[in-house]
Each structure stands twice: as structure tokens, then as C-alpha cells.
Amino acid sequence: MKLKELADQLGLSQTTVSRALNGYPEVNKATRERVSEAALKFGYSANANARRLAIGRIGAIGILMPRDRSERFGPHTSEFFSGLAEQLSLHEMDLLMSPSINNDELAAYRRLISSKRVDGIIVTGPTLMDERVAMLTEAKFPFVLHGRTNIAAPHAWLDIDNAGAFRQATSHLLDLGHRHVAMIDGLKGHTFSEHREMGYREALVERGLPVDPRFIVHERFSDETGFHEAQRLLSYAPHPTAILAGSMMTALGVFRAIRSKGYELGKEVSVIAHDDVFPYLNASNMVPAMTTTRSSIRSAGSRIAELLVRVLDGEPVENIHEIWPVELVLRQSSGPPIAPRR
Amino acid sequence: MKLKELADQLGLSQTTVSRALNGYPEVNKATRERVSEAALKFGYSANANARRLAIGRIGAIGILMPRDRSERFGPHTSEFFSGLAEQLSLHEMDLLMSPSINNDELAAYRRLISSKRVDGIIVTGPTLMDERVAMLTEAKFPFVLHGRTNIAAPHAWLDIDNAGAFRQATSHLLDLGHRHVAMIDGLKGHTFSEHREMGYREALVERGLPVDPRFIVHERFSDETGFHEAQRLLSYAPHPTAILAGSMMTALGVFRAIRSKGYELGKEVSVIAHDDVFPYLNASNMVPAMTTTRSSIRSAGSRIAELLVRVLDGEPVENIHEIWPVELVLRQSSGPPIAPRR
DNA sequence: CTGTTAGCGCATTCAG
DNA sequence: CTGAATGCGCTAACAG
């Protein structure tokens, strides 16, 4: 059913029907109700393309998916998307996932813009001098960044306090008496990874403790790398008595490594993991329950969608910056260092 | 830049430029090249909405996301989406994720159709008499189902051999000498869940063994439920000496439960998990390495996208049915039952 | 091989 | 308060 047909049914013009449906004030109340009812009855809904062509707004925001399987499409992504979609539905916007072709991410972003399929873009996983951010800023295309960069030109972003999270966790461990604390985090170059390392270093330096570069590991997030890297760390002498894990997946691997070395988790070796809050993988239900620096990536997604809508509504991007605090939740996987019983 | 401007630049008509860009045969080769170059140079790309309005095809396929956090948006989803998107990019199609509003899923599907934002839909997680399938079939709207139903009306689907997977796994365990095998799978009502239970039962019945209903558990997939249910199962006397886990998340919980009860995994209690193949959570890297019934949900996503494209191209849906075999990969978490040493 | 013309379905001027 | 006419940018007959 199209607008014209609906209008004919009602004996009204397309214009009036359109106005009634879109909530224009100058329509008679009785008429509006009659139109609404008929629309419902016939299951009429405007052809999105025609509508968009006419009003010049797309009604969708885009996010690029890396084609490459490895790095970025993990459980975080799905939680984040979920938050995005939840919020966007409130604004009757769609979420368009476009896979980037040929590893040429920048070209994919350009194509997304020039084909006018989205009103705005969400950018995730930035590096310190992210070229996508630079490009989009220069092109003046609306976007919100999940994370931060060192790029000076104003742009909208939301990030969690990664440095604070790792500083807090490291400080806590040091205060408990640990003297050898290691961290296994995500790949180098990404802002979050650099910030976390900064926080970790700050906590050590603050106490006048040395930084051992062997104890700072940057790797892909997965149980496998967590396992291997933790095994390696634990084979040093002296080995770390506490390990920070950059993700829950990493943490699972670290848990296994500690057990396979015969250490008691939470006593001989402590673990604090960063938890993006997965409904299907709960830190408090592990054995022992895992101490985490916790921040909901789903909420971040939701909020970012909201911010992008505001950008689209014309709010100046230099006003749109948020840093979310990260909460340290103490559970059983961390405690004072206890020497092995052997 | 719009088509008209590009045409003016080149001193050609819109038509010719359009044809050149869209690969129509009747264009002079030299002209076509000149046009392509210019398009590249000016960064021209057709306005997707105008194009779609004119051609009547949307160029996107839709998938509904449950708004509810709990059940279906887990790690499986992200892998599946990833496969979809990968394939769709080859056809220059977008993936539209629309969140369902107010728990009224059916209405959300209707809205998605009537607003003409997608050419086709992908439906996942069906129940045996899935109402979405019934509705879409009746509305003659193109879709492909991931999974199966008992609905007779012809429709396109792709499913893995869930019954076979659990039959195979159960048979293997029984052949090893296990006499008490339990299963912890997804929620009842879902086809995959019913099929898996069927497979499990068949293996027992084939050997004349009794089915103990206490040993059949249907719950949400998560490490937490895996843990709790496995603990419960292991508290029975006699307790199961082998447990089938419906997902990797469940399996993680089951692992923990077995350890917390002091049993040796792979010896005193065996575990076989269904593995949808997550790049960040690898069965072979667990300790002990986990025996799995394995099937790539990412590949399934990719193939389903391909099938939907074929449906859109007019291929009769009654021809589009695929059942993928599931491979049993033996590793260390399963073995002959060994009595506890106490 | 190329150009002219007429919609695709809607929102919006501008008149009534 | 309502309607008739115009255009959003593109593709697809239909002519040349």
C-alpha cells in the first residue's frame, strides 16, 4: 500500500494524509484520527527510501565491521552493537553494518559517506593518531568515536577511564603487598591499550617501584593468548604474583595457566580482569569469583548512539566528550601475596 | 556530487553516465573508461536512496535483534553476523539490524517489511512452530531461516545436524563405557534444542539404555547456568560420568563445577561441548583440550546470506534446504570412565 | 552507441 | 485546515 492509495481510500489528498501521519499541527484532530486508524488497518507504512529521498535524511547510522576475522569482532562487539541498537530504536533509526572491503578501511568509510546510506558513523577501536578520525573530521561528516585519540581537531567521543582502571587495579595490588605485577592487554597502538599501560606504569612509579618491560604484554584478546602469555610470565624468576588481564577472555586463559602451573589462584597468584560485562560470562560466578575493573560496554553503545543523534541535531561536537569512570570490584581472585607452600 | 553534475562535467547525458557506471553493455568502451575515471576523481557515488527508489530494490537485508538482553544476543550472534556481513559485501548489500520493540516481535517484522527497508529477512533461533516463519511465509516475503521448524509450507532454511551431533557424541561416550550421560542444552521449545535431545535419546534407546529425565537439562546458555546445573547433576547418586554441554559458555561452567567437586576432568567426568567455533575461545587450547561437536556458525551466516540472495533472485524456496553435518572432534576432555580414587 | 522523457513514493512549497 | 504542483537523484523505457 502506498500513500496515494491510502489517500484515495480516505477521500483525502496525499498531502493531508502525509501531514496527519507525520504529526503536523495543522491537521484537524478528527481527520488525523481517521487517517491513523486507516493506516493501521491497511498496514500502511511509508516507503523508507522515498521518504528519505524526499527529506534528505537517511534515518540510519553506520558502523564498519572489519572484514578480518581476527581482531575486532569479538564478544565486545556484539554487546556494543546491542547497546547501540537499543538506543537507536528509540529514535527510529537503523543501524547499518557495512563490512570493509579489501582491508582498505578508509576507502570503505569514504564509500559509506558518498553513497549517502547513513547520516552518521560510529567509529570504534581508535589508535592514537587514528586516520579514520582525521579523515571524517576533515570531511565534516558526523561521527562519534568510542575511545579517544591524540588528534587535536574537535570531534565527539566517549571513552572509559582506561588509565584510571589499570592505575586503580595496580595500586590495589601493590597496596596488598605485591611487588611483581604483570599486565596482559590488547594490541599496542590502540588508545585503550596505551592508556591502560600508562595507568599501570603510574601506579608503579608513584611508589618508586621499577617497571619491568617483560611484565607488560600486548596481544590479541583471547583465552589462548591469555594462557600462553601467563605461562610465560609465570616461568620467570621471580615471577609475577599478580596479573592484570585486559579482557575476560584473556582472564580465562590466565586462570588456566595459573592452575596448570600448580599455583593457587587468588592466593599465590592474584588476577584482576577488565570486564566489559557479558551477560553470558559472569565474573562473580567464576571460581574463585574474579576481581574486575568493570564497565558496561553495552551502556557505552547506548550512550554513543544518543550522542550521535545529538550531533546530527546540530550540537557542536566540541561539547561532546565523556569519560566514564571504571569501578574496581573486589572478589576472590585477588588478595595479598602468599608464598607457595612447597 | 550528483549524477547530473558528473554528466555535465563530462559533456554526456545522465543516462550514459549511469549506464557506464552500472556496467551496461551498450556503452562505448572509451566512454566507459572516461566516466569511471571521472567518477573516481570526483569521488562520485550514487545516492543509495534515489537509486533504490528508482530500481525498486533496497539493497539491504534485515535481521531483528531481540531487545531483551538475555537470551539471544550472545557470542553466537556476533560470529553469525560477521559471516553474514562478509558474504553480503560481495553482493554490495547492507545488513540492517533492527531492534524489536516492546517484545512484540511479530509486529517488528511487519514494520520492517511494510516500510520497505529490506529486500529480505534472516530469521534465527526458531521454535518448532515458529510464528515468524508462518507469518513471513504467508506474506510471501523473502527470508531464509537459520534452523528448522515443523511448519509444512515451503520456505528456505539452513540448519546444522543437531540431532546427529548429539547422537554421535552420546554414542561415542556410551561406546567408551559411560552409563550415565547427562546433557545441558539451551531452552526448551527451540528447534535445535529439541533436535539435540532427540539425538541424545536415540543414542540411548539404540543401546537399550534408559533415559533419566533428571539428566536432561534445558537452560539458558551461560557459564553460570552451566556451573549450577552441572553441580546439581554431580550431586546425584549415581552421578553422570559424562556431560554434554550445548555451548562453549555452558562448558566453561561445567568445567568449573567438575573441578569444584574435586573430580578429574576427562577421567572421572567427561565433557563434550558443542562448539560454534569462536576465534577468541578455542576448544583445543583449553586444559584439558575440549572434545567438541564442531560447526562454524560464521560459515553458516555466510552461506545463509548467499541463499537469501538466491531467493531474491527468484530461486524457488522449496529447493533451498541445507543440513550441515557436525564433526565430532575428540580431545582430552572425554575418555573412558574412571572411578574416583578415593 | 547515446539522449529524451517519464516515473519510483514521498514531503513540501504555495495557493486556496 | 486542505489540496495541487514541484522536486529529491536516479534508472529504464523509448527514440534516435
Side-chain angles (χ1 to χ4, degrees):
Chain A
M1 155 113 8
K2 40 192 359 171
L3 186 59
K4 184 169 188 325
E5 294 167 15
L6 184 61
D8 289 351
Q9 284 287 337
L10 287 160
L12 291 169
S13 73
Q14 293 188 35
T15 314
T16 304
V17 177
S18 169
R19 281 199 276 237
L21 257 24
N22 290 312
Y24 278 54
E26 64 263 50
V27 176
N28 189 338
K29 196 178 169 199
T31 311
R32 187 193 302 285
E33 275 168 13
R34 207 157 62 87
V35 172
S36 310
E37 265 173 43
L40 205 60
K41 176 177 157 202
F42 294 109
Y44 169 80
S45 174
N47 178 317
N49 289 304
R51 174 165 224 281
R52 289 162 178 179
L53 182 57
I55 69 183
R57 242 215 192 192
I58 318 289
I61 64 126
I63 187 161
L64 246 72
M65 307 204 338
R67 191 204 188 96
D68 175 23
R69 84 180 44 209
S70 69
E71 190 178 339
R72 264 169 299 192
F73 206 71
H76 309 85
T77 321
S78 60
E79 276 299 295
F80 184 70
F81 276 30
S82 201
L84 285 180
E86 213 167 90
Q87 178 65 226
L88 287 174
S89 73
L90 301 179
H91 299 272
E92 299 197 313
M93 291 227 197
D94 295 319
L95 179 59
L96 192 71
M97 312 192 345
S98 195
S100 57
I101 311 198
N102 298 336
N103 294 331
D104 189 350
E105 258 199 313
L106 222 47
Y109 276 94
R110 288 217 184 80
R111 214 174 59 94
L112 191 58
I113 295 175
S114 62
S115 66
K116 300 210 170 48
R117 286 174 301 168
V118 296
D119 294 315
I121 292 183
I122 284 167
V123 179
T124 61
T127 57
L128 288 171
M129 295 306 292
D130 200 281
E131 51 177 0
R132 303 166 301 170
V133 171
M135 190 272 278
L136 290 170
T137 306
E138 195 189 353
K140 296 191 201 316
F141 195 81
F143 75 100
V144 176
L145 175 66
H146 184 209
R148 263 175 282 177
T149 69
N150 284 343
I151 294 171
H155 56 273
W157 53 263
L158 180 153
D159 197 7
I160 63 172
D161 183 11
N162 281 299
F166 267 47
R167 189 189 316 110
Q168 213 182 138
T170 308
S171 295
H172 173 69
L173 291 166
L174 295 174
D175 291 346
L176 285 175
H178 292 270
R179 279 304 165 264
H180 301 289
V181 177
M183 60 171 280
I184 305 177
D185 198 30
L187 292 175
K188 221 166 164 58
H190 289 291
T191 308
F192 77 89
S193 205
E194 302 289 343
H195 284 188
R196 289 177 182 181
E197 183 175 334
M198 276 172 43
Y200 164 86
R201 285 173 179 270
E202 282 166 15
L204 287 167
V205 170
E206 236 172 43
R207 287 163 180 74
L209 295 168
V211 174
D212 185 339
R214 295 174 313 164
F215 286 1
I216 300 179
V217 179
H218 290 284
E219 253 300 350
R220 198 174 307 145
F221 286 143
S222 80
D223 69 327
E224 183 179 353
T225 58
F227 181 63
H228 289 311
E229 296 302 327
Q231 275 207 317
R232 197 168 55 69
L233 288 169
L234 293 172
S235 69
Y236 292 136
H239 67 74
T241 57
I243 299 178
L244 302 180
S247 81
M248 292 289 276
M249 298 301 150
T250 308
L252 290 174
V254 172
F255 269 38
R256 290 194 287 112
I258 292 173
R259 289 205 172 96
S260 79
K261 286 276 183 186
Y263 294 119
E264 195 177 354
L265 185 53
K267 307 270 164 115
E268 291 157 17
V269 182
S270 287
V271 173
I272 299 182
H274 181 72
D275 178 12
D276 291 294
V277 190
F278 305 114
Y280 47 84
L281 192 60
N282 196 317
S284 62
N285 288 308
M286 300 195 166
V287 177
M290 181 144 52
T291 295
T292 58
T293 54
R294 129 190 269 266
S295 177
S296 164
I297 195 169
R298 175 188 286 259
S299 307
S302 175
R303 178 64 176 165
I304 282 179
E306 209 176 326
L307 294 179
L308 184 48
V309 169
R310 278 166 45 184
V311 172
L312 295 177
D313 285 346
E315 184 159 339
V317 292
E318 43 270 37
N319 300 344
I320 302 188
H321 303 144
E322 289 188 11
I323 301 180
W324 285 15
V326 174
E327 187 189 3
L328 177 62
V329 184
L330 299 179
R331 299 199 188 83
Q332 280 69 56
S333 72
S334 64
I338 292 175
R341 288 153 299 181
R342 316 163 219 187
Chain B
M1 155 106 21
K2 39 202 294 191
L3 186 60
K4 184 166 188 326
E5 294 167 15
L6 184 61
D8 289 350
Q9 283 286 337
L10 288 160
L12 291 169
S13 74
Q14 292 189 36
T15 315
T16 303
V17 176
S18 169
R19 281 199 278 239
L21 257 24
N22 290 313
Y24 278 55
E26 64 264 48
V27 177
N28 188 336
K29 197 177 168 202
T31 311
R32 184 192 304 284
E33 276 169 11
R34 208 156 63 86
V35 172
S36 311
E37 268 173 40
L40 206 60
K41 176 177 156 201
F42 294 110
Y44 170 79
S45 174
N47 178 316
N49 288 305
R51 172 167 225 278
R52 289 163 178 178
L53 181 57
I55 145 180
R57 242 212 192 194
I58 319 289
I61 65 126
I63 187 161
L64 246 73
M65 308 204 340
R67 190 203 189 97
D68 175 23
R69 84 179 45 208
S70 70
E71 189 179 342
R72 261 171 302 193
F73 207 70
H76 308 88
T77 320
S78 61
E79 277 297 295
F80 184 70
F81 276 30
S82 200
L84 284 180
E86 215 167 88
Q87 180 63 225
L88 287 175
S89 73
L90 302 179
H91 299 272
E92 299 197 312
M93 290 227 197
D94 296 320
L95 180 59
L96 192 71
M97 311 191 349
S98 197
S100 57
I101 311 196
N102 296 337
N103 293 332
D104 189 350
E105 257 199 314
L106 223 48
Y109 277 93
R110 288 217 183 78
R111 215 173 58 95
L112 191 57
I113 295 176
S114 62
S115 66
K116 300 214 172 42
R117 285 173 303 168
V118 296
D119 294 313
I121 291 183
I122 284 169
V123 179
T124 61
T127 57
L128 288 171
M129 295 305 292
D130 200 281
E131 52 178 0
R132 302 166 302 169
V133 171
M135 189 273 276
L136 290 170
T137 306
E138 194 188 354
K140 296 192 199 315
F141 194 81
F143 75 99
V144 176
L145 175 66
H146 184 209
R148 263 174 283 178
T149 69
N150 285 342
I151 293 172
H155 56 274
W157 53 262
L158 179 152
D159 197 6
I160 63 172
D161 183 11
N162 280 300
F166 267 46
R167 190 189 315 111
Q168 214 182 139
T170 310
S171 294
H172 172 71
L173 291 166
L174 296 175
D175 290 347
L176 286 174
H178 292 271
R179 278 305 163 265
H180 302 288
V181 177
M183 59 172 279
I184 304 176
D185 199 28
L187 291 175
K188 219 165 165 59
H190 289 291
T191 309
F192 78 88
S193 205
E194 302 289 343
H195 283 188
R196 289 177 182 182
E197 183 175 334
M198 277 172 44
Y200 164 85
R201 285 172 180 270
E202 282 166 17
L204 288 167
V205 170
E206 237 172 42
R207 286 165 180 74
L209 296 168
V211 174
D212 185 339
R214 295 174 313 163
F215 286 1
I216 300 179
V217 180
H218 290 285
E219 252 299 351
R220 197 173 310 144
F221 286 144
S222 80
D223 70 327
E224 183 179 353
T225 59
F227 181 63
H228 288 311
E229 295 302 327
Q231 277 207 318
R232 197 169 53 72
L233 287 169
L234 292 173
S235 69
Y236 291 136
H239 67 72
T241 57
I243 298 178
L244 302 180
S247 80
M248 292 288 276
M249 299 300 151
T250 310
L252 290 174
V254 172
F255 270 38
R256 289 193 288 114
I258 291 172
R259 289 207 171 95
S260 79
K261 286 277 183 186
Y263 293 119
E264 195 178 352
L265 183 54
K267 307 270 165 113
E268 291 157 16
V269 181
S270 288
V271 173
I272 299 183
H274 180 72
D275 177 12
D276 290 298
V277 190
F278 304 117
Y280 46 83
L281 193 59
N282 196 317
S284 61
N285 289 308
M286 300 195 165
V287 177
M290 181 144 51
T291 295
T292 59
T293 54
R294 133 188 267 267
S295 177
S296 164
I297 196 170
R298 176 187 285 261
S299 307
S302 175
R303 178 65 174 164
I304 282 179
E306 211 177 325
L307 295 179
L308 184 48
V309 169
R310 277 167 46 184
V311 171
L312 295 176
D313 285 346
E315 184 159 339
V317 293
E318 42 270 36
N319 300 344
I320 303 190
H321 303 142
E322 288 188 14
I323 302 179
W324 286 15
V326 173
E327 188 188 2
L328 178 62
V329 183
L330 300 178
R331 299 199 188 83
Q332 279 69 56
S333 72
S334 65
I338 293 175
R341 287 153 301 180
R342 318 162 217 186

